[in-house]
Amino acid sequence: MNMLRPAVNEILKNGESPYSLVVGVAKRARQITDESEEERKILVDKPVKLAVEEFAEGKVKLVEAEDIGKDVEE
C-alpha cells in the first residue's frame, strides 16, 4: 500500500478533525478532476495526491463549523 505524504498530523492544525480533512481532500480532488476535464488537461498525478499536497502546502484550508462533533460528544 502506498502511503501519501505528508502525514495527517503534519497537515492538521489546532485540533482540526481528521474526518474533516478526508472530506476536504475528497471534495478538492473532485474539483481538480472537474477542472481538468473542463480544460481538457491530462493529469500526471492522481487528484487525491494533488489535493493532499495543496492542503499540506497551505494552498487550501479546512473550514470547520464551531459546533462540529458536538452531537456525537453529548
Side-chain angles (χ1 to χ4, degrees):
M1 185 170 164
N2 187 10
M3 298 291 291
L4 292 176
R5 295 287 177 209
V8 171
N9 62 353
E10 294 174 8
I11 298 174
L12 295 176
K13 306 206 178 7
N14 303 324
E16 293 171 330
S17 167
Y19 301 107
S20 294
L21 178 63
V22 170
V23 172
V25 166
K27 286 182 177 183
R28 180 62 188 132
R30 171 51 60 196
Q31 289 174 341
I32 291 169
T33 300
D34 291 345
E35 290 167 6
S36 70
E37 288 176 359
E38 287 174 14
E39 297 170 9
R40 299 182 189 266
K41 279 182 18 184
I42 296 174
L43 296 174
V44 175
D45 291 318
K46 293 185 178 182
V48 171
K49 180 180 183 218
L50 296 172
V52 168
E53 289 173 353
E54 287 182 355
F55 275 98
E57 294 169 5
K59 292 179 180 177
V60 181
K61 297 186 185 203
L62 288 176
V63 177
E64 295 181 322
E66 288 185 31
D67 62 347
I68 192 167
K70 295 289 184 198
D71 292 338
V72 176
E73 292 174 6
E74 296 178 349

